[in-house]
Amino acid sequence: MQYHTPTSFDDAIAIAAQADGVTRFLAGGTDVLVQMRADILTPDTLINVKGIDGVKDITRTPEGGWQIGIAVSGAEMTEHPELGRDWPGVVEATDLIGSTQVQGRCTMVGNLCNASPAADAVPAMVAAGITVTVSGPDGTREVAVEDIPTGPGKTSLASGEMITRITLPPRGENGGDAYLRFIPRTEMDIAVVGCGINLRVDGDTITEARVALGAVAPTVRLVAEAAEAIIGTTLDDAALAALAEAASAACSPIDDKRGTIKFRTHVAGVLAQRAARIAYARATGQKDS
Amino acid sequence: MSKIHVTTTINGDEVEYLCDPRETMLDVLRDRLGLTGAKEGCGTGDCGACSVTLDGRLVCSCLMLGAEADGHEITTIEGMATGEELHPLQQKFIEYAALQCGICTPGILVATKALLEKNPDPTETEVRYWLAGNLCRCTGYDKIIRAVMDTAADMREAS
Ligand SMILES: Cc1cc2nc3c(=O)[nH]c(=O)nc-3n(C[C@H](O)[C@H](O)[C@H](O)COP(=O)(O)OP(=O)(O)OC[C@H]3O[C@@H](n4cnc5c(N)ncnc54)[C@H](O)[C@@H]3O)c2cc1C
Ligand code: FES
Ligand code: FES
């Protein structure tokens, strides 16, 4: 295994573009090192991205959104004084990853590019409408988070490409987001179902919404029908029932010891309702329920 | 395979070593530097027995490469006592018998020291969540939690 510590994105991309065999980027290493240790995968080329200028920064964009460096850890996001006020769901979802020790290292980009269907940060990122900047030898493109994972462990990144930036849109007025997951324990477990919801209201009425589900399909899913079920409503009982139905209908989960198909499908609806209530309360300025 | 030359600071002392790029920090500490306080319970980030701090932040040394320590500061359980004088947490763990086999103890001490530096007045719930990644097969956790709560109270009084 070749280990590299580039100090610029250009160098990192050049190394990745020239590398033979399996290449991995080392952000927090909480997936990469586990896979090495378990003999699942030892890369031929490992590129540590933490020495690249600016990768630890969290900054406001001119539009009022946020730019988050690719090596910012979950703990650093949680400790940030303002980020969680704009995007509590995104911060809480990332904060659910692993233990205190894992939080000190894990990143949103690593969570996204490891491409587990059960990744916790990803549904919240999709719901929030986050985009990432993908750069490679052939240039740079801006990609929606939902277009990165293509299947378990697989992404749409070409060889030599890497994510160089994460951009959160401006929160804007009267908006709120939330993420909830179901796990059999209270900590340190993999989501059986996860749901991220982001919405905006005008008075009591929902005007915009995005609903994303995790762990119920080969990739995290953006469910347009679930969003449509609550747009134009005040999140009344009928809207909540329609939301649950649409969320459950979007599931094509696996059956395993952690949750049966029936269970996951049902819980997706329940979690969608609960996450919607929290996001709605945040958007309408009620105290968190 | 060529080895990587690393210059780092461990428990306040400058340390240099050569390591294989695949070697974890935990392996470097235990096998190259003779610092065997950090334990390997799982090697995959689940148990916390390998806990150290990296630039003041609590991490699993099994989830970090030895090469990644270059230019950074590591502290381990070996840096906790001052000579023969134990840290108040160590003292209290003995008093409360908050350990049995002791495999988890170095990691739990390093983790709780990091907690009390960040939050000198944690609630019991906060202590339990902070330690969610530190597994103990022996004690049932209760004595550990009580020892931490009591140390925190003592340290607040003393400061
Ligand atoms: C004990 C433990 C508990 C965990 N609990 C959870 C949990 O509750 N929920 C959850 O979702 N996950 C969990 N995980 C998995 C893991 O911590 C997360 O997926 C984490 O977010 C990975 O981030 P990282 O920075 O450590 O990634 P790394 O391991 O550094 O990288 C992961 C992948 O992303 C790629 N990558 C990294 N940066 C880039 C980049 N800039 N461009 C392109 N590709 C890149 C790498 O090549 C690699 O394939 C857990 C892991 C452990 C060890
Ligand atoms: S040995 Fe590192 S967490 Fe178990
Ligand atoms: S004392 Fe034996 S594992 Fe904790």
Side-chain angles (χ1 to χ4, degrees), chain A residues 1 3 26-30 33-34 36-37 42 46 48 50 75-76 79 99-102 104-105 186-188, chain B residues 1 4 21-22 40 42-44 46 51 54 57-60 62-65 67-68 118 129-130 132-134:
Chain A
M1 185 179 89
Y3 174 74
L26 182 63
T30 61
L33 265 83
V34 170
M36 282 169 61
R37 161 72 197 209
T42 297
L46 186 63
N48 184 351
K50 291 188 289 296
E76 287 162 341
E79 287 162 12
S99 56
T100 312
Q101 287 86 338
V102 171
R105 303 286 279 168
T186 53
E187 268 285 90
M188 294 289 282
Chain B
M1 189 163 313
I4 295 178
R22 293 166 301 186
E40 177 166 301
C42 65
T44 51
D46 295 294
S51 296
L54 166 66
R57 206 177 269 288
L58 186 67
V59 301
C60 292
C62 73
L63 291 186
M64 172 187 170
L65 295 175
E68 287 184 88
K118 191 179 144 92
Y129 269 99
W130 184 268
N134 290 87

Side-chain angles (χ1 to χ4, degrees), chain B:
Chain B
M1 189 163 313
S2 69
K3 290 215 154 61
I4 295 178
H5 180 234
V6 176
T7 307
T8 183
T9 305
I10 299 181
N11 300 326
D13 297 329
E14 188 171 302
V15 175
E16 283 183 65
Y17 52 84
L18 291 171
C19 69
D20 184 284
R22 293 166 301 186
E23 239 174 289
T24 64
M25 190 69 222
L26 178 61
D27 288 341
V28 169
L29 289 171
R30 294 182 56 84
D31 302 342
R32 293 196 185 272
L33 305 177
L35 295 171
T36 55
K39 305 285 183 253
E40 177 166 301
C42 65
T44 51
D46 295 294
C47 77
C50 64
S51 296
V52 301
T53 65
L54 166 66
D55 298 333
R57 206 177 269 288
L58 186 67
V59 301
C60 292
S61 59
C62 73
L63 291 186
M64 172 187 170
L65 295 175
E68 287 184 88
D70 195 50
H72 295 278
E73 274 185 41
I74 305 279
T75 63
T76 70
I77 186 66
E78 284 87 352
M80 196 156 171
T82 313
E84 292 296 299
E85 197 188 322
L86 296 180
H87 185 278
L89 277 164
Q90 294 174 304
Q91 202 82 55
K92 199 67 83 181
F93 268 55
I94 296 171
E95 212 175 285
Y96 274 73
L99 65 151
Q100 289 177 32
C101 79
I103 290 282
C104 70
T105 314
I108 290 185
L109 286 168
V110 168
T112 47
K113 179 167 178 273
L115 168 64
L116 297 188
E117 279 163 8
K118 191 179 144 92
N119 179 2
D121 192 8
T123 63
E124 179 177 330
T125 304
E126 285 169 336
V127 176
R128 287 184 184 273
Y129 269 99
W130 184 268
L131 290 178
N134 290 87
L135 304 185
C136 175
R137 298 172 302 177
C138 307
T139 64
Y141 301 102
D142 197 55
K143 289 175 175 180
I144 294 173
I145 305 299
R146 281 191 283 142
V148 175
M149 295 303 286
D150 199 19
T151 313
D154 280 2
M155 286 174 74
R156 284 197 304 277
E157 237 166 67
S159 66

Side-chain angles (χ1 to χ4, degrees), chain A residues 9 23-35 41 43 45-47 49-50 52 55 70-74 93-99 102-103 105-116 118-123 133-135 148 153 155 157 161-165 179 181 183 187-191, chain B residues 42 44-47 60 62-63 133:
Chain A
F9 284 119
T23 299
R24 286 288 181 272
F25 295 96
L26 182 63
T30 61
D31 282 315
V32 169
L33 265 83
V34 170
Q35 287 159 16
L41 180 96
T45 303
L46 186 63
I47 305 172
V49 300
K50 291 188 289 296
I52 299 173
V55 294
I70 57 165
V72 170
S73 68
T94 312
D95 186 49
L96 284 173
I97 298 171
S99 56
V102 171
Q103 277 295 309
R105 303 286 279 168
C106 70
T107 65
M108 278 201 289
V109 174
N111 198 232
L112 176 62
C113 293
N114 187 58
S116 159
D120 279 306
V122 181
T133 309
V134 175
S135 298
I148 296 291
T155 71
L157 269 59
E161 282 190 329
M162 70 180 293
I163 291 177
T164 54
R165 227 169 19 201
Y179 174 79
R181 70 171 177 185
I183 56 172
E187 268 285 90
M188 294 289 282
D189 209 340
I190 301 165
Chain B
C42 65
T44 51
D46 295 294
C47 77
C60 292
C62 73
L63 291 186

